[in-house]
Amino acid sequence: EIVLTQSPGTLSLSPGERATLSCRASQSVSSSYLAWYQQKPGQAPRLLIYGASSRATGIPDRFSGSGSGTDFTLTISRLEPEDFAVYYCQQYGSSPQYTFGQGTKLEIK
Amino acid sequence: QVQLVQSGAEVKKPGASVKVSCKASGYTFTSYGISWVRQAPGQGLEWMGWISAYNGNTNYAQKLQGRVTMTTDTSTSTAYMELRSLRSDDTAVYYCARDLGSLGYWGQGTLVTVSS
């Protein structure tokens, strides 16, 4: 099973700042089958990025994904108030045996 | 528009079973799989398994093998997830999601509470 480790566990930033979230896999994720999700309290997760770097429909371009192999990054270029949430990475390279990272909480500083 | 509508909250006793439904609309049901994901209170996301709505093939997370069964009814575009021998640590919100590898559309979640 591929284990995903996200860092940091909590990230404290102010609106307007840049956020960089990391997701590291225990083995290579084939074909960059890596997705990122945003989850707000009481809501279902929302797909942000798939294929490591492709934005899902309707996702603002301040969200970007990068990486390959075992190291992946989600970047939010300029934080808006609505971006403060928990973010999860998911690998679907070993389909269909998926795994999620443990999450990064992005909080207002 | 794509929608996944799940059944309502359940309260079960330890050892019982629960069956959660997920009714899809707005797309061709048999063209996608359905994954089930759960989230215990205050915890992260846990993938439970996947079912092909095309042919019913399934793949379950190893830790749930033997306790979970996923099925579909293509006549009503509905997916089902049954979990047996419930324990207190099965208390969670259970989500269905349309599966294209990434999970682009999610149901609203179903809270299952296991308590004596």
Side-chain angles (χ1 to χ4, degrees):
Chain A
E1 172 183 306
I2 298 177
V3 176
L4 300 179
T5 302
Q6 293 186 238
S7 62
T10 301
L11 185 56
S12 300
L13 294 170
S14 300
E17 291 192 293
R18 180 185 187 91
T20 303
L21 287 67
S22 173
C23 177
R24 179 162 291 177
S26 60
Q27 54 188 282
S28 183
V29 177
S30 60
S31 303
S32 295
Y33 287 152
L34 192 286
W36 290 93
Y37 301 84
Q38 177 194 69
Q39 188 180 33
K40 297 179 180 179
Q43 297 184 14
R46 177 173 73 143
L47 177 65
L48 300 174
I49 300 288
Y50 64 93
S53 61
S54 298
R55 270 188 302 277
T57 303
I59 301 303
D61 61 6
R62 65 180 182 274
F63 290 91
S64 64
S66 62
S68 63
T70 60
D71 288 294
F72 299 88
T73 300
L74 174 70
T75 301
I76 311 171
S77 60
R78 188 177 170 83
L79 285 166
E80 298 286 342
E82 62 268 27
D83 298 336
F84 292 91
V86 180
Y87 292 83
Y88 295 95
C89 58
Q90 174 225 354
Q91 68 80 23
Y92 52 100
S94 57
S95 295
Q97 281 282 347
Y98 307 153
T99 50
F100 288 93
Q102 83 279 17
T104 289
K105 182 179 181 180
L106 178 56
E107 64 177 23
I108 299 176
K109 188 174 181 179
Chain B
Q1 70 285 19
V2 174
Q3 279 195 303
L4 299 171
V5 179
Q6 299 183 221
S7 50
E10 304 262 14
V11 179
K12 296 291 182 180
K13 294 193 181 303
S17 298
V18 69
K19 191 170 186 177
V20 179
S21 68
C22 170
K23 183 171 177 59
S25 60
Y27 72 96
T28 301
F29 183 66
T30 52
S31 295
Y32 296 84
I34 294 285
S35 267
W36 289 87
V37 175
R38 69 179 180 178
Q39 186 170 38
Q43 302 302 308
L45 303 172
E46 178 187 13
W47 179 78
M48 299 178 65
W50 162 90
I51 182 166
S52 166
Y54 174 70
N55 59 15
N57 286 351
T58 56
N59 199 321
Y60 303 136
Q62 291 179 352
K63 71 173 283 189
L64 294 173
Q65 289 272 4
R67 285 208 301 140
V68 67
T69 300
M70 296 175 187
T71 57
T72 59
D73 181 344
T74 56
S75 68
T76 60
S77 299
T78 303
Y80 298 92
M81 185 284 300
E82 182 180 31
L83 188 62
R84 300 176 293 278
S85 302
L86 289 168
R87 309 187 289 247
S88 58
D89 62 356
D90 291 318
T91 293
V93 176
Y94 289 75
Y95 295 103
C96 62
R98 192 179 81 168
D99 188 325
L100 203 59
S102 58
L103 306 176
Y105 293 91
W106 294 65
Q108 82 276 18
T110 296
L111 175 62
V112 176
T113 302
V114 183
S115 173
S116 55

